[in-house]
Structures are given as C-alpha cells and as structure tokens.
Amino acid sequence: MSGSPIDRRFEAVVMDWDGTVVPDRRSDASEVRAVIESATELGLHIGIVSGTHLANVDEQLMARPAGPGSLHLCLNRGSEVFRVGARGPRLVWRRRPSADENQLLDAAADAAVDALTARGLTVRLVSRRLNRRKLDLIPEAAWSDPPKAAIADLLGAVTSRLHAAGISDLREAVRVVRAAAVEAGLPSPCVTSDAKHIEVGLTDKSDSARWLAGHLWACGVHPPGVLVVGDEFGSLGGTPGSDALMMVPELAGAAVVSVGSEPEGAPGRVMALHGGPALCLELLRDQLGRRRAGELPTPPLTVGWTLDVNDASSLHPAAAAAVCALGDGIVGSVGFAGDQSPAVLMQGRYVGHGPETELLQLPIWQVLAGMPAARGVRRTLDLRTGVLWYTAQDADGARAAVAFQSRARAATGVLRQEVGALRGSAPVLVEPSDTRVPGTHRGDRAGMTVENAGCAVAARATRLRGASGATADSYAVYRGADQRALAGRNAAAALRRARAAGFDRLLNEHREAWAARWADADISIDAPGDLQARVRFALYHLMSSAPSAGEAAIAARGLSGEGYRGHVFWDADVFVLPFLAATHPQSARAMLEYRIRRLDAARRRATADGRRGARFPWESAATGDDVTPRRARNPITGRTVSIRTGDLEEHIVSDVAWAANRYVEWTGDEAFWLEGGADLVAEAARYWVSRVREDGDGRAHIDRVIGPDEYHVPVDDNAFTNVMARWTLRRAAALPAAARVKDVERDRWCQLADALVDGYRPTDGLYEQFAGFSGLEPLIIRDVAPRRPIAADLLLGPDRVAGAQVIKQADVLMLHYLVPEEVAPGSLVPNLEHYEPRTAHGSSLSLGVHASLLARAGRLESALSALELVARIDVDDLTGTTASGLHLAAMGTVWNAVTQGMLGLRATERCLEVDPHLPSQWRSVRGHVRYRGARIDVEAFPGGVRVSADQPTPVSVGDMPAVTVTKRWTVVPVVHPLRESGSDPMTRAIDRSTLRS
C-alpha cells in the first residue's frame, strides 16, 4: 500500500460488516475487536454499516471502546444507529415507520412475491423487519447461508433461476419488485439486492452513510479524512452492489477500498484490493500503527475550507504567519520559532502605562526542533478545525509539524512535529522561548514553567516511540491570575491533565468544539471563484478572537498581531460584536462585560471633562482609561503631529450603547439590562445631555468632534455623531422600568433627541456630513485617484484633503448601516450615490460597509466587487500591514455584507427579518445564526428562500407578514427580487490590484 492513496493516516473508517470485517456471522471477531478498541482509544472514529440487526453484530464483535474515538453500528439497512461505549450499545437514532408505512411495506412485499411468482419464479418472504421486507430469490438448502467468498457462484445460481423464469438478470428482477411496490402504494421504495435476496424498504445503506457523514462532520472530520471499506461496490447481475450505497455525496472525497472479489469489477473511484476480511483487518492495524507511532494527521485540503500559503505566494512571511494565526479567544499564537517575530498573546493582559500600554508578549510554545526557518515553507490552515500544518525542506527532505490552539481546553497549545532519527531515549525538550519576556524558570530538562505579569506558562515535550521517523508532542498551557504563584500552579495542573489526555484526545476535542461553533456561524456560497474560502477565513478569525466567558477585550487586530498595541476601539463594538451576538452570544456578552467593568473609568473621564454620564475611551486597554497616543510622526512631512481622536472622536459613547442594544436584539436577553446593560445606555445618554449645545431657536448641536471620516478635524454637527447621539437618547428613554430611570430624565432625553440637528435636506434626500461640508472643494476622489481604496491624505496631502469633499470612510452612510430606522425613509440611495464617489476607502472598514449598503440598494454587482475586495484585505495583504495583525473589524464587515446585505437578515424585537438580494453569479447562499435562543438556517436562491428553526420562531420574508417557522423547512418565494439598477458608482472605482496605503 506504500505510495497509494490509503498510505496515510485517516481520521475515520466506515465499513461494511459481512464479507468485509468478518467472513460470516459465525467467525471469531476477537482480533477485530482488539484493534477497534485500541484504535478508538487513540481517536479513530469507526462506523460499521450492515443490513442486519444489533444482536447479530454486537454479539459477534463485543467491542467496548472507551474513546476518544467513537464506534457506531448503523444497522437494519439504514434504520438504526447505535453508539457503542464501555457499557455497550446505546440507541442514538431510529427511523420509526408509521402504521400506514408498515401496511404499505407489507402490501409491497406481498405484491413483489406475486409479481415474481407470476413470472414463474419461486421466492419466499423470509423477513419482516424494521422498515424493510426481505425476499429470498433462491430458497434452496444448498444456498441457505452462502459465504461472501462464494458470491460469484451464488450470482451464477441466481441468474440461472431467473433465466428459467424468463427474467434476464438481477437488474430486471429488481425492476419488477420496484414496480410492484409502487403499484401497491409505496411511493419511493428502497429496493436492494445482495444476489440471494431482494429487499424492499423505507431505508437502505445510503441512510447509514449519510448519518455517519453528518456525525463525522460534527466531529470536525472532513470527507478526505474518511476511509470507506466494503466488499460489494461493483454491480451484481447489473444492479449496484450493496456497498455502493455507502458512496453518498456527503462522503465525496473519501478514499474507497473494496476487499471483495467484485465479480463484475469495481467502480472507477474504488480501489479494488480484494483480500477479504483479512485485508480489512490489515487496514485497521495499519491505522492503529500510525497512531501509535505518532504519525501526523493529513491536511484535508477541502475546497472552501482550506487556506494554503507557501513561499511562492506574494505574502511576506510575517504576514503569512498572521494569516495562519491560531486562537481560542484567550490566547493567540502567531508563527513558529524561526519566523519573523513569532508571538503568543493573551487576550486582555496588558503591560505598560498610558499610550505605551500594550498586550503582554508571552513566551512562545510553537518551537520547531531542527526545522528550517524559511526554506520551502508551506502553511496549510484548516479553517473548519483551526489546525495548522507546517512543512519545510531541509537537506534530508521535507519535515512537517501540526499545531492547534485547543478550542476545548482553554489556553492550551498542542504541537506534534517530525524530529527525525534521534539517539537514545531521552525526551525531546521543546521549550517556550523567554527571550522577549523576562520570567522565572522552574523545572528540569523535560519541563518548564514561566511566570510573568500574573501569567504563567507550563510546557513539556515528549518523544514518541518510533524508528527513523520519530515524532515529538509538545504541550503548553497558559494561565492568568492576580498572583503569579497561583497562575503557575494552575498552569502546571492543567498541563498534567493535557499530557494525560494525549495528542489524539486533545485533537478530537478541539475539532468537535470548532465544528460546534461552525454549526451556528457558517456561511456557504454557491458561486464561482474563491470568495467562499475568503468569507470562511474571516469567520474563522472572528471566532478565534473572543472567549466565551468572563470579559473580552477584543483588540483591533484580535490575537493575530501587535498592531495598535492590542488596544480596543469602536471597531470591536460596532463590527465584531454583531457577529458574535448572532452566532455565539456568550462571547458578545463577554465583550459587553469588558465595557461594564470599566464603566467607572468612563464616568471619571466624563467628570474630568466637565461632563456627566460616561465618556468611553477612544482607545482602551486594561483599566478603561484612554490610552490613545497624543502624537505621531507624519509619514509625508516627517514632522510630529498631534493625534486628536482620543479627545474628539466621541461617537464611541453611542457605539457602546448601540452594541449593548444589538446584543439584546439578537438574543432577547432582557436580564442583561439589569446586569449592567442599562447603565451603559443610560450613562451614554447622560453624557450627551451634558455635551450638546442648545441655541436660541431650541435646536441642539454637538460642536468640535471627529466622525468616522478622520480626514476632517474637528467639525461641528457631524451627522453620524448627532444621529447616533439622538438614537442613544431615544433608546435610553425606552429602557425598561426596572432600570430605575426617573420619568423627568426620560422626558429630557426625548426632548433633546428631537432637538438635535442632523443635517438632513428633504429637497434632495441628503444628509450633510457636517456643518459646512457642502462648501468645501467639490473634489470627487473617484475621478482623480488612480485607484481606490487609497489613502487620500498621502495622495493629495492632508491640507488639501481637509478642505475638500474627500472622505476617508463611510460616515453618513454608517447611519444607514447601524440605525436605518433613525434616518429618513428612502434616503439610502441618494446618499449612497452622493458620498460613495467622494470616499477614498482609506480605512479597512469602509468597503464592507459599502458592500452591505450597495446590496440593500440593489447595486448587486458593485456590492459583490466591494465584498470580494474586503474579503482579500489580509489574505492578500492589500494594505501591507497584515504582518502586524489581521483587520478583525473588516472581517466583521464581511459577515455583515453577506448576512445583512445579501441575505437581508435583521434581528428585531418582533421577528427575524429576511430580505435577500443576490448577485447574479450566486446560485445560492446559506447562513446559520442564532436568534433569541433558536438555531436558524436561512438559504436564499433565485426566486425563493428556505428557513428552518430548531424551535418555533417568528420570521418575516420581504414585505410578507411574520410567520412562525418550525423545524420543518419552509419555502417562501421572494416577493421583490432586485437586480442591478440605476447608476453604478463602484464598478469602475474599485481597483482589484494590490493596495499599499
């Protein structure tokens, strides 16, 4: 088998029983039992598929595996599934026929007997089992229990009987039975044959295979990681072999092996090795041996799920390391020792003071022993399971490693690497480097604990027994605590548990945890090109960025790099939190907990500024105090310039309140208001009351601010800031009575909200971006820039840009993105057409926002162009800054552009709204979200929408009234399918070439 497609480690084996695993039902299966129990103990998943019932398989096999792998018996021709554990089989699924279905099956079987008898063939109905009826085509003593090895002789004998009755072959007999069953009233009979019998039923082996495929998918196993073994894949008498039914589309890409004689030949994609059960046992032993020797798992390379980066790519090695970063929401691991600036970052752990505050650099654990640093390097990241393969060339050939940051065990890094031939039996020590962070080292040559700033890491590596191709497993556990000693003890204890579990158990746990996250978050796009993988890349890193409990300080670059020193901006509240609220509410709640626990710091800042309420910082870190730098070097002039965002970009106050409300809209978690959520919104409203200026005409203004468009500093009555303040005041006034807000204060909030100016002009439907914007130089950046996105201040100079109608990113349009209910009806299109040509898209946040709004406006080709570009921003390093970390908020806009823009999903208190707008290139798009406790699956395609929910949920589609959707798929026609119309501002504006800004 050397060099063949099965000469590798598999993660699952799906097998037929009779003739494949055992010669017959009287054979001794003790050797098979021992191998199965040992293999499942090392993480292999095994599924046995048979047409017989439980007793026939379990009493012969008697396996009692303990895991972490699994053993499932899929029996009764796809009707039942049993999971076998240490205490024996347990039913996990059964197809239960109704009384009417049983009557139809009986009628179908009787009709089949009559039809064959009428042709002169003597048959016997020998079994009436669950969901199936069995007819014996050769009820003769000589063929009462033929062995599988005699399949060719059996087929010959049956064919002779059929010929004597004027039936040409087995295929014609099956057609006769199927026709009789349909005529008897069974609408879609499953008719199969093993040469001796014909069965008519409600299920067959394909149901077993589909169930196993779904189970393995939920375990994080891709089809290419599955080995399917049978003995009857080829046709018998012109009918498909019974094992051919296991080759379902859900297992496309699996390796398929036949160990049977295959008298009429095996299908093309089946490896016909023959050899019978003895060869099947050899295949199982081979898989067991690979695990015992510590062989690395094989990259799945599944289309749409794999990111492959090698030396030939255009990515700088440091950018490639960031793109392939591993994270569990607590710890992020970037690169390997030997890469440029490898890093391990812990979410929310900072060192330094003021603007110099930065994320703590922890000792790295991802050390590759003897691995070349930068020659022939290839990284392969499985987005579905968060597992990274790293290969490199040296003088002895390719060397490989596989690593993951455990999703199931907090802050635990796991690495398996090929270390070549090693002398002696001493374990390989792969120590975390402490060159960048001083620490205290304890332990012997085979283990180490490093402590720093209330964090600790414990690590240990062990060589696995092997011959020339030895491997080593390394484990590292990070813990944070107020006391270093406590952190060290916790890390050491967790390390002991991880090592006791071992690589394969940790890998299985990790893959299953990731699969569960994807079940609530995946977006599948049926369209040409590589957008599917790019979208999943964004979702993977969004899910890697936030923990599920405690508090979450989501940095602008997540856990993938040191950009912006790991500070928290509005990016997290506005662009990351909505994704988490709709897919993993616990993480969104943790993000809000970060703000709640720092509310006192925001209050102190407001007081220091002579205001009331809370003034959230533009850049935040450990304490909640503002850590925005005060000055920086101008890249054009070289002079030091002031940074004023920390003082003037005050819309952050409303952004935090908006995030709190968005969380409740998706989750329905009304208790959150009493757990600090109401304070966030109310204190934001109080801040605006003290911040606005009222004139003599009763109008309210907000002077000297910076909006999202940071090219103009400062401005008065920025439309985004004012309308978001108005929204905040109105939302605060609507807080539940339990929030203990006095009526007089609610009245004041409403009065002030009504008084705030917003720059809206009813005559043309435009919002003036800020007071005086219309009087600036009418410079259309679309017409003068060589391409967009572009940094207009670098192209034209900051002084000219400040005096012109050139915008860095969506500003007015952000209102339509965040609070469409707060802007004038029908104002999206005029503002989109006016402001988009004036927008340089100099921020990574801009294109995704425009993609969503263009889709809502029916400009689908333009929306798709913008979406495709923002989805490439880090994969292709379009800004030249990916090496310092990924643009996490831009990834949030990718999710929003697909879900809110294309699928038209919007969570409201009344229902989940669905209003799809699909580009013509998309055959369909399917998204998974959680809405108020329900798992929702939405698929849109030309002309219709399918929605399902795991509990009754109100859903509205387009302009139709809300209906309650249950588990059953509901097909709803799209009421008003939109197509590209009107002007197309972005078709010629977006340059797909590499951007350096």
Side-chain angles (χ1 to χ4, degrees):
M1 294 180 289
S2 177
S4 75
I6 60 172
D7 183 21
R8 59 186 176 91
R9 167 175 162 153
F10 287 91
E11 304 307 308
V13 179
V14 175
M15 306 178 292
D16 174 50
W17 181 242
D18 292 338
T20 300
V21 180
V22 293
D24 55 59
R25 295 175 188 170
R26 295 181 296 274
S27 302
D28 179 18
S30 57
E31 289 186 81
V32 175
R33 177 192 319 129
V35 173
I36 287 177
E37 289 179 344
S38 298
T40 53
E41 188 176 354
L42 291 176
L44 184 67
H45 296 289
I46 295 177
I48 292 176
V49 178
S50 176
T52 190
H53 55 84
L54 176 63
N56 281 348
V57 177
D58 185 60
E59 291 177 6
Q60 186 175 14
L61 180 60
M62 288 299 292
R64 295 297 181 261
S70 61
L71 171 62
H72 284 89
L73 306 181
C74 301
L75 306 176
N76 272 322
R77 288 272 189 260
S79 292
E80 293 179 317
V81 178
F82 297 85
R83 176 154 188 166
V84 184
R87 297 184 179 181
R90 175 176 58 87
L91 180 68
V92 294
W93 179 82
R94 174 177 286 158
R95 165 57 158 99
R96 299 181 184 275
S98 66
D100 289 343
E101 287 175 325
N102 269 326
Q103 289 181 0
L104 288 174
L105 273 176
D106 288 336
D110 292 340
V113 170
D114 292 343
L116 291 172
T117 301
R119 298 287 295 269
L121 182 69
T122 301
V123 297
R124 182 182 303 160
L125 181 60
V126 295
S127 175
R128 297 179 186 268
R129 294 195 179 276
L130 180 66
N131 293 321
R132 61 195 176 103
R133 305 293 184 262
K134 181 185 288 189
L135 282 66
D136 189 348
L137 296 177
I138 186 166
E140 300 174 0
W143 296 103
S144 61
D145 190 13
K148 282 295 185 80
I151 186 66
D153 295 335
L154 170 64
L155 181 60
V158 170
T159 302
S160 295
R161 293 191 87 242
L162 294 174
H163 286 169
I167 300 174
S168 60
D169 54 19
L170 194 59
R171 176 170 47 188
E172 184 179 353
V174 167
R175 283 201 296 263
V176 170
V177 171
R178 180 176 287 110
V182 171
E183 188 174 350
L186 195 63
S188 300
C190 294
V191 182
T192 58
S193 175
D194 60 2
K196 177 174 173 56
H197 304 101
I198 289 182
E199 286 190 312
V200 57
L202 304 176
T203 59
D204 57 32
K205 279 187 176 181
S206 66
D207 295 277
S208 294
R210 278 190 289 270
W211 190 95
L212 283 169
H215 166 71
L216 294 174
W217 189 247
C219 291
V221 175
H222 291 266
V226 181
L227 175 63
V228 180
V229 187
D231 67 306
E232 292 179 0
F233 290 101
S235 61
L236 295 173
T239 66
S242 61
D243 294 335
L245 292 169
M246 294 194 296
M247 298 168 63
V248 294
E250 292 83 354
L251 287 177
V256 185
V257 170
S258 175
V259 299
S261 59
E262 299 287 1
E264 298 182 16
R269 61 169 286 207
V270 177
M271 292 181 60
L273 300 181
H274 312 299
L279 178 59
C280 181
L281 179 58
E282 182 183 341
L283 293 173
L284 288 173
R285 283 177 174 157
D286 176 63
Q287 290 302 309
L288 174 59
R290 292 173 187 274
R291 279 175 156 69
R292 284 176 170 168
E295 182 171 314
L296 274 61
T298 305
L301 299 178
T302 306
V303 174
W305 286 104
T306 306
L307 182 69
D308 199 51
V309 182
N310 56 44
D311 276 353
S313 73
S314 60
L315 283 181
H316 185 278
V323 163
C324 295
L326 303 173
D328 63 359
I330 299 173
V331 167
S333 302
V334 186
F336 291 87
D339 285 332
Q340 294 185 10
S341 303
V344 176
L345 306 169
M346 180 173 279
Q347 184 270 138
R349 290 281 167 171
Y350 294 93
V351 292
H353 302 282
E356 302 302 314
T357 302
E358 62 184 5
L359 276 176
L360 172 66
Q361 289 275 334
L362 293 170
I364 65 171
W365 61 274
Q366 57 275 32
V367 179
L368 302 175
M371 183 77 76
R375 180 167 169 255
V377 173
R378 180 177 184 176
R379 292 175 171 88
T380 303
L381 177 62
D382 177 16
L383 300 170
R384 179 165 171 78
T385 64
V387 177
L388 175 65
W389 282 262
Y390 184 100
T391 60
Q393 296 287 332
D394 63 12
D396 299 325
R399 299 274 296 282
V402 62
F404 56 93
Q405 190 77 51
S406 176
R407 189 89 223 184
R409 302 194 181 208
T412 300
V414 183
L415 170 66
R416 171 168 286 182
Q417 59 180 304
E418 297 173 349
V419 294
L422 299 174
R423 297 178 180 178
S425 58
V428 180
L429 176 61
V430 184
E431 295 184 336
S433 167
D434 66 325
T435 57
R436 303 182 64 188
V437 180
T440 301
H441 297 239
R442 293 200 303 270
D444 57 17
R445 180 173 176 272
M448 182 175 69
T449 299
V450 179
E451 299 177 356
N452 184 278
C455 295
V457 56
R460 191 179 179 97
T462 304
R463 177 191 174 188
L464 299 181
R465 294 180 180 180
S468 59
T471 59
D473 288 347
S474 304
Y475 309 95
V477 177
Y478 296 82
R479 287 293 182 268
D482 293 336
Q483 299 178 350
R484 291 185 181 181
L486 178 60
R489 288 195 297 271
N490 290 343
L495 175 64
R496 287 193 294 271
R497 293 191 293 271
R499 293 185 63 233
F503 176 87
D504 289 298
R505 182 178 291 273
L506 295 175
L507 177 61
N508 278 24
E509 293 175 351
H510 169 75
R511 287 189 305 209
E512 190 169 342
W514 261 111
R517 287 296 302 272
W518 278 107
D520 288 339
D522 186 29
I523 292 173
S524 55
I525 302 171
D526 185 2
D530 57 6
L531 179 61
Q532 173 68 89
R534 302 294 187 248
V535 169
R536 284 184 174 140
F537 169 79
L539 304 186
Y540 162 77
H541 281 292
L542 286 167
M543 288 187 281
S544 298
S545 68
S548 298
E551 64 177 43
I554 307 301
R557 300 300 178 98
L559 294 171
S560 63
E562 307 163 51
Y564 297 105
R565 300 179 182 272
H567 294 176
V568 180
F569 291 75
W570 75 307
D571 304 32
D573 305 279
V574 170
F575 301 105
V576 177
L577 182 138
F579 164 77
L580 295 172
T583 62
H584 198 63
Q586 306 96 302
S587 294
R589 181 63 179 82
M591 288 184 66
L592 292 168
E593 189 63 24
Y594 170 81
R595 293 296 189 185
I596 290 170
R597 294 181 186 183
R598 286 153 187 79
L599 187 56
D600 283 344
R603 289 180 176 123
R604 289 193 298 270
R605 169 64 188 275
T607 300
D609 290 347
R611 312 292 183 196
R612 295 194 302 113
R615 166 65 161 89
F616 297 104
W618 182 243
E619 296 186 32
S620 181
T623 65
D625 295 317
D626 196 301
V627 292
T628 308
R630 297 299 175 182
R631 56 191 57 85
R633 180 178 173 276
N634 186 302
I636 300 176
T637 65
R639 294 196 300 262
T640 298
V641 297
S642 297
I643 297 176
R644 308 182 69 182
T645 52
D647 292 328
L648 302 178
E649 201 146 356
E650 296 172 77
H651 63 80
I652 181 69
V653 175
S654 293
D655 302 332
V656 172
W658 180 89
N661 188 70
R662 179 51 52 99
Y663 165 77
V664 176
E665 285 177 333
W666 273 105
T667 65
D669 181 12
E670 295 292 334
F672 166 72
W673 295 125
L674 304 182
E675 297 167 354
D679 290 336
L680 291 179
V681 178
E683 292 290 67
R686 291 174 184 126
Y687 179 81
W688 289 123
V689 170
S690 65
R691 178 65 175 85
V692 302
R693 172 181 59 84
E694 295 181 87
D695 63 20
D697 296 327
R699 295 181 301 177
H701 308 266
I702 303 177
D703 301 327
R704 298 184 61 77
V705 297
I706 302 175
D709 166 31
E710 295 168 342
Y711 287 162
H712 300 92
V713 180
V715 300
D716 296 336
D717 284 333
N718 170 252
F720 178 80
T721 302
N722 284 25
V723 174
M724 288 299 292
R726 183 175 72 195
W727 176 90
T728 302
L729 290 164
R730 289 173 175 169
R731 184 64 190 89
L735 285 171
R740 297 187 299 277
V741 176
K742 295 180 180 179
D743 289 343
V744 63
E745 194 169 30
R746 293 179 191 271
D747 293 342
R748 173 60 174 156
W749 290 342
C750 292
Q751 178 266 322
L752 200 58
D754 293 340
L756 265 170
V757 301
D758 59 12
Y760 179 64
R761 301 196 303 245
T763 54
D764 55 12
L766 293 180
Y767 285 85
E768 186 177 30
Q769 181 170 301
F770 56 80
F773 179 84
S774 301
L776 300 180
E777 179 188 357
L779 181 62
I780 309 299
I781 191 67
R782 180 193 63 187
D783 297 337
V784 301
R787 51 165 166 67
R788 290 188 297 157
I790 197 167
D793 53 344
L794 298 183
L795 176 70
L796 304 173
D799 292 339
R800 186 179 183 192
V801 167
Q805 296 177 13
V806 179
I807 305 168
K808 180 179 182 181
Q809 62 177 304
D811 193 308
V812 165
L813 294 175
M814 279 291 297
L815 296 172
H816 296 83
Y817 184 82
L818 296 183
V819 288
E821 70 280 7
E822 195 67 35
V823 295
S827 62
L828 171 59
V829 170
N831 282 279
L832 189 59
E833 293 184 344
H834 181 76
Y835 284 109
E836 195 288 321
R838 292 165 168 79
T839 304
H841 303 296
S843 165
S844 63
L845 304 175
S846 190
L847 281 170
V849 171
H850 278 82
S852 181
L853 295 176
L854 285 163
R856 304 317 303 155
R859 314 295 166 81
L860 301 177
E861 299 303 316
S862 300
L864 182 57
S865 295
L867 172 60
E868 288 177 336
L869 193 56
V870 70
R872 291 173 44 212
I873 195 168
D874 284 311
V875 174
D876 294 334
D877 195 11
L878 298 185
T879 66
T881 60
T882 296
S884 63
L886 307 178
H887 297 78
L888 196 64
M891 295 175 180
T893 70
V894 169
W895 176 81
N896 192 86
V898 179
T899 56
Q900 181 172 308
M902 308 297 190
L903 272 174
L905 300 186
R906 187 164 183 240
T908 70
E909 293 183 2
R910 181 178 61 89
C911 66
L912 179 67
E913 297 177 355
V914 183
D915 189 18
H917 302 66
L918 301 191
S920 60
Q921 298 92 327
W922 289 15
R923 291 177 285 273
S924 68
V925 58
R926 184 176 180 183
H928 300 78
V929 294
R930 295 184 67 95
Y931 171 71
R932 304 198 166 216
R935 283 187 167 92
I936 310 294
D937 187 344
V938 180
E939 182 181 14
F941 49 89
V945 178
R946 294 189 183 98
V947 183
S948 70
D950 67 351
Q951 62 189 54
T953 304
V955 177
S956 71
V957 175
D959 295 330
M960 298 176 65
V963 297
T964 299
V965 174
T966 59
K967 293 182 181 180
R968 185 177 180 180
W969 283 102
T970 301
V971 181
V972 184
V974 176
V975 186
H976 50 279
L978 297 181
R979 292 177 171 81
E980 194 80 11
S981 61
S983 61
D984 192 358
M986 297 190 73
T987 298
R988 63 188 179 92
I990 292 176
D991 185 345
R992 295 168 181 267
S993 64
T994 300
L995 167 68
R996 300 290 178 189
S997 63

